[in-house]
Amino acid sequence: MKGPQLENGYTRIANELLEAVFGANFNATQMKIIFCIIRYTYGFNRKSHNLSLGFISDATGISKRYISQELNKLIEANVILVIAEYTSKQSRELQFNK
């Protein structure tokens, strides 16, 4: 069989959370950021993960400057939580606020 298969990995997310994201008024960049964070947290069975602006930029194909602006809006709106601030050795630890 060709194409994506569950055996090759999947991201488990509650329907209620998915519906809340789709029901909210996020722009396309914010949606990509949210789904990127969900992918690299819930997709690896963890609640939070260290994600740099560069990593999110590469994953979404959106410039770091715009990612920074929109991510800050999501953080201010309490959609994304900062578990740990970035340091000289480590990226910020981010989590989707369910």
Side-chain angles (χ1 to χ4, degrees):
M1 226 181 201
K2 293 185 179 184
Q5 300 295 315
L6 287 177
E7 295 81 20
N8 297 329
Y10 61 94
T11 300
R12 185 175 173 169
I13 183 170
N15 288 335
E16 185 178 354
L17 288 178
L18 199 55
E19 290 165 6
V21 171
F22 282 114
N25 193 22
F26 297 120
N27 66 36
T29 298
Q30 291 170 339
M31 290 288 274
K32 285 184 176 189
I33 292 169
I34 290 168
F35 283 117
C36 179
I37 292 171
I38 288 172
R39 168 69 181 100
Y40 288 98
T41 55
Y42 295 159
F44 287 86
N45 294 317
R46 50 189 171 209
K47 292 183 179 183
S48 63
H49 188 59
N50 297 335
L51 297 166
S52 69
L53 293 176
F55 181 86
I56 297 171
S57 174
D58 290 343
T60 60
I62 299 169
S63 74
K64 283 181 13 177
R65 181 177 177 204
Y66 199 49
I67 291 292
S68 178
Q69 290 173 353
E70 296 302 317
L71 179 58
N72 285 334
K73 289 177 186 176
L74 291 169
I75 292 168
E76 288 172 15
N78 212 26
V79 174
I80 302 298
L81 302 176
V82 177
I83 304 304
E85 288 293 341
Y86 65 90
T87 64
S88 60
K89 297 180 181 181
Q90 192 166 317
S91 303
R92 269 191 296 202
E93 186 174 348
L94 301 174
Q95 175 180 334
F96 177 71
N97 186 6
K98 59 181 182 174

